[in-house]
């Protein structure tokens, strides 16, 4: 066995490394039994016939050695690759990204574009505008900002694409920054841009740039720009950009520092083509944390503020467009009592008010089941839902029975006005008659309740924050 093994090892070694004395430097590292075998295999040869035989054997052995080396190399390559795949926790994620990228590019009609492995990873973050539901019409109260964005970014891009003789100065800015308090519509604007700008849109997830292998992060960063350049005109959007391009500090990790530096040089067009339309767009609510060199590159800055009275009215109007509100609903009053609320807070108020109706409906149904249960104890819930013949007197919204129901409902909600109770009663009756539930209109009272709840939560959070600061300061 050892003989066969040693012959095999020796046969794969280059002849220059083996001497007729038995062992040179590399062979000396082998066990004695093997070196002995080597010596016996390569004995000194004297006669011509012997040397001819040796020559023939040598050729054959060389071919065999090459074949064996090739086979070993091939098998080793696949084993190592399999082990690396097994050891790489991101392998599945990378494979998924590749499939997604192929799918998106096919859907978007990208053909004849050769992409390297890293560009494919980034391409999985391309946004398909047809899949987005947000358009400019879905943003309320930010007309001025939207108009400015269109003038500064979209029109110059279109001019660059369509007008043949165009001034060299008519160009979109290389960077755009949307900044302002949380929940005021920055990401919303980015979504509308992706849908309506007619540019390629890469929604860059910062985590995709981080890779555990040294040098991979830089390759991925470079791929962002090379892909954008190949596709151009292209917008690279980075939400919460401060997390990637925050103030550079000496204690930054080496890879992070290199990534930031590379990002800036690629952005400048030092390595990429400066004539291609590639725009970096960022959104942040912490502009102060951003590096001044990055802020310099983002020439167009748009402040997305907390909405004022008029803007709140627009946002509420848009949010409640599809909703059924009661006749007592007063938009002006709701806008007034929501001073200091962001767009996202206003949406939450509307949602909370709508859910309050649902809670009322559920309560009324439970009560009706109870009432019915007391008269017909063996009825199942299903029969209550659909049995029109089993309806209690409260299910009729008209005449004497309607009044009767309103009176028992007023017992449940003593503070409610009669209009609210009758609408609640109506909904109870309709829900009892059919499987599909109808919900009563949202009243001003629901909105006021939701606003009060939101204000209380805000005050609580602010108090917590204040206490936290106090602890830190103390
Ligand atoms: N101007 C607006 N018009 C309509 N809806 C709005 C508006 N502003 C905010 N909203 C609502 O608030 C939600 C959150 O908005 P968005 O995600 O754009 O906030 P943001 O400014 O990106 O906040 P953050 O800084 O926390 O990321 C939106 O999905 C939308 O429903
Ligand atoms: Mg956002």
């Amino acid at each position: 066995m050892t003989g066969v093994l040693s012959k095999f090892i020796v046969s794969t070694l280059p002849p220059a490394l083996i001497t007729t004395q038995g062992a040179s430097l590399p062979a000396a590292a082998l066990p004695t039994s093997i070196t002995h075998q080597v010596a016996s295999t390569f004995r000194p040869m004297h006669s011509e016939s012997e040397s001819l035989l040796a020559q023939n054997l040598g050729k054959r052995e060389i071919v065999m050695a090459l074949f064996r080396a090739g086979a070993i190399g091939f098998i080793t390559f696949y084993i190592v690759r399999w082990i690396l795949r097994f050891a790489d926790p991101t392998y599945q994620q990378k494979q998924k990204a590749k499939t997604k990228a192929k799918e998106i590019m096919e859907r978007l009609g990208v053909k004849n574009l050769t992409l390297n492995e890293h560009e494919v990873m980034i391409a999985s973050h391309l946004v398909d505008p047809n899949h987005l539901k947000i358009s400019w019409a879905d943003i309320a109260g930010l007309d001025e900002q939207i108009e400015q964005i269109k003038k500064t970014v979209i029109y110059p891009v279109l001019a660059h694409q369509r007008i043949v003789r165009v001034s060299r100065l008519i160009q979109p800015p290389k960077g755009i920054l949307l900044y302002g308090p949380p929940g005021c519509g920055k990401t919303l604007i980015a979504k509308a841009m992706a849908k309506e700008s007619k540019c390629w849109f890469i929604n860059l997830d910062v985590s995709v740039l981080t890779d555990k292998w040294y040098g991979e992060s830089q390759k991925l960063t470079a791929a962002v720009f090379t892909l954008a350049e190949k596709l151009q005109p292209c917008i690279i959007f980075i939400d919460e950009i401060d997390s990637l391009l925050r103030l550079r500090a000496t204690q930054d990790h080496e890879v992070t520092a290199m990534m930031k530096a590379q990002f800036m040089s690629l952005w400048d067009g030092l390595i990429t083509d400066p004539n291609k339309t590639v725009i970096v767009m960022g959104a942040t609510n912490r502009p102060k944390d951003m590096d001044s060199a990055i802020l310099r590159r983002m020439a167009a800055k748009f402040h997305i503020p907390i909405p004022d009275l008029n803007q709140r009215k627009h946002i509420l109007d848009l949010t409640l467009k599809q909703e059924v509100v009661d006749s007592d609903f007063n938009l002006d009053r709701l806008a007034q009592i929501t001073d200091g609320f962001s767009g996202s807070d206003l949406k939450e108020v509307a949602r909370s008010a709508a859910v309050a109706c649902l809670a009322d409906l559920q309560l009324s149904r439970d009560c009706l089941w109870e009432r019915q249960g007391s008269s017909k104890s063996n009825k199942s819930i299903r029969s209550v839902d659909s049995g029109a013949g089993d309806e209690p007197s409260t299910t009729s919204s008209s005449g004497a029975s309607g009044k009767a129901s309103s009176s028992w409902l007023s017992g449940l909600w003593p503070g409610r006005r009669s209009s609210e109770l009758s609408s609640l009663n109506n909904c109870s009756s309709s829900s009892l008659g059919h499987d599909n539930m109808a919900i009563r209109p949202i009243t001003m009272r629901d909105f006021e309740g939701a606003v009060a709840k939101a204000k209380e939560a805000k005050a609580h959070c602010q108090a917590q924050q204040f206490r936290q600061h106090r602890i830190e300061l103390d």
Side-chain angles (χ1 to χ4, degrees):
M1 182 66 194
T2 326
V4 174
L5 184 67
S6 65
K7 266 186 190 171
F8 171 71
I9 293 168
V10 170
S11 68
T12 55
L13 291 171
L17 295 178
I18 299 157
T19 65
T20 49
Q21 274 75 41
S24 72
L25 191 63
L30 299 170
T32 13
S33 59
I34 297 175
T35 50
H36 182 73
Q37 285 287 337
V38 172
S40 61
T41 312
F42 290 87
R43 282 193 319 273
M45 288 168 276
H46 300 294
S47 68
E48 212 173 292
S49 57
E50 257 185 307
S51 74
L52 267 171
L53 185 69
Q55 244 180 18
N56 286 338
L57 273 177
K59 273 181 194 167
R60 216 174 43 227
E61 292 226 329
I62 286 168
V63 173
M64 286 301 288
L66 285 174
F67 179 75
R68 280 187 205 125
I72 290 171
F74 188 75
I75 293 166
T76 315
F77 171 77
Y78 277 98
I79 289 175
V80 170
R81 206 171 83 156
W82 184 81
I83 291 171
L84 285 179
R85 271 183 197 176
F86 192 71
D88 185 0
T90 58
Y91 177 72
Q92 294 283 342
Q93 193 189 331
K94 283 180 184 165
Q95 288 303 106
K96 268 188 199 161
K98 274 182 198 166
T99 324
K100 193 178 164 198
K102 266 188 200 155
E103 209 180 281
I104 293 176
M105 306 231 312
E106 262 171 35
R107 212 181 318 126
L108 297 177
V110 185
K111 284 174 195 153
N112 309 325
L113 200 66
T114 324
L115 302 181
N116 64 32
E117 190 191 339
H118 298 97
E119 286 168 348
V120 169
M121 282 292 290
I122 303 295
S124 66
H125 292 260
L126 273 171
V127 175
D128 181 354
N130 303 321
H131 277 199
L132 284 174
K133 291 193 180 98
I134 304 291
S135 64
W136 295 125
D138 297 302
I139 307 173
L142 293 172
D143 299 343
E144 215 176 286
Q145 284 86 345
I146 291 171
E147 198 49 44
Q148 280 300 320
I149 290 172
K150 280 184 186 169
K151 273 188 201 160
T152 328
V153 186
I154 299 176
Y155 299 157
V157 171
L158 293 179
H160 215 76
Q161 280 178 300
R162 295 188 189 159
I163 303 169
V164 184
R165 273 179 56 82
V166 73
S167 156
R168 279 173 59 191
L169 287 176
I170 298 181
Q171 276 183 2
K174 284 205 167 286
I176 312 161
L177 181 68
L178 305 174
Y179 68 99
C184 290
K186 298 181 290 295
T187 308
L188 212 57
I189 291 179
K191 284 182 190 169
M193 279 275 273
K195 188 165 180 73
E196 310 227 6
S197 66
K198 306 265 185 295
C199 291
W200 290 94
F201 199 92
I202 301 173
N203 182 19
L204 189 64
D205 182 354
V206 177
S207 65
V208 85
L209 297 182
T210 48
D211 196 291
K212 69 179 183 313
W213 301 115
Y214 193 82
E216 283 295 290
S217 291
Q218 283 97 307
K219 283 182 192 159
L220 285 163
T221 312
V224 173
F225 285 88
T226 49
L227 174 70
E229 201 186 286
K230 282 179 187 173
L231 292 169
Q232 69 104 34
C234 182
I235 297 173
I236 302 164
F237 176 63
I238 310 169
D239 209 356
E240 314 298 346
I241 194 170
D242 53 290
S243 64
L244 174 70
L245 300 171
R246 63 169 55 239
L247 271 170
R248 278 170 293 171
T250 37
Q251 63 266 32
D252 268 359
H253 189 277
E254 188 191 345
V255 173
T256 319
M258 271 176 4
M259 234 166 72
K260 283 183 196 173
Q262 197 196 11
F263 201 96
M264 281 193 258
S265 61
L266 287 161
W267 195 346
D268 275 342
L270 203 68
I271 306 163
T272 48
D273 187 347
N275 296 319
K276 298 276 169 76
T277 312
V278 174
I279 304 165
V280 178
M281 181 167 145
T284 180
N285 43 42
R286 303 171 72 105
K288 279 188 193 147
D289 286 354
M290 287 189 57
D291 199 291
S292 54
I294 300 289
L295 286 177
R296 200 263 304 160
R297 281 166 178 81
M298 299 186 125
K301 297 181 184 66
F302 300 96
H303 183 220
I304 314 297
I306 283 275
D308 61 19
L309 179 70
N310 214 19
Q311 288 170 318
R312 286 201 299 278
K313 249 200 258 178
H314 280 120
I315 296 173
L316 285 167
D317 197 24
L318 184 78
T319 313
L320 299 169
K321 204 168 64 181
Q322 311 273 332
E323 303 301 319
V324 183
V325 288
D326 200 59
S327 54
D328 73 341
F329 174 67
N330 186 336
L331 182 66
D332 292 326
R333 173 152 169 68
L334 185 57
Q336 269 163 11
I337 61 170
T338 49
D339 186 24
F341 279 44
S342 66
S344 149
D345 293 335
L346 294 174
K347 192 172 177 193
E348 181 53 26
V349 163
R351 189 198 64 80
S352 186
V355 168
C357 304
L358 194 68
D360 276 0
L361 175 65
Q362 190 58 41
L363 191 54
S364 72
R365 283 161 62 87
D366 290 348
C367 287
L368 286 164
W369 288 339
E370 255 175 45
R371 278 159 62 87
Q372 208 175 34
S374 60
S375 59
K376 294 185 177 184
S377 55
N378 290 333
K379 276 277 167 209
S380 69
I381 291 172
R382 174 80 194 160
S383 71
V384 173
D385 270 351
S386 54
D390 298 328
E391 284 175 20
S393 60
T394 50
T395 55
S396 165
S397 61
S398 60
S401 59
K403 275 179 196 149
S405 65
S406 289
S407 68
W408 78 263
L409 283 169
S410 67
L412 279 173
W413 296 284
R416 303 270 165 165
R417 274 182 276 136
S418 56
S419 67
E420 284 179 87
L421 291 174
S422 74
S423 62
L424 179 58
N425 182 42
N426 285 345
C427 86
S428 317
S429 46
S430 57
S431 65
L432 280 173
H434 309 283
D435 279 344
N436 292 332
M437 294 196 293
I439 298 170
R440 67 168 170 79
I442 314 170
T443 63
M444 195 60 202
R445 193 189 173 85
D446 295 323
F447 286 111
E448 282 165 352
V451 171
K453 239 197 287 176
K455 278 187 178 167
E456 195 186 318
K458 268 180 172 241
H460 186 70
C461 289
Q462 273 161 7
Q464 289 276 32
Q465 263 181 3
F466 177 71
R467 232 171 280 146
Q468 191 74 28
H469 287 315
R470 280 301 304 262
I471 291 165
E472 279 169 15
L473 287 172
D474 292 347

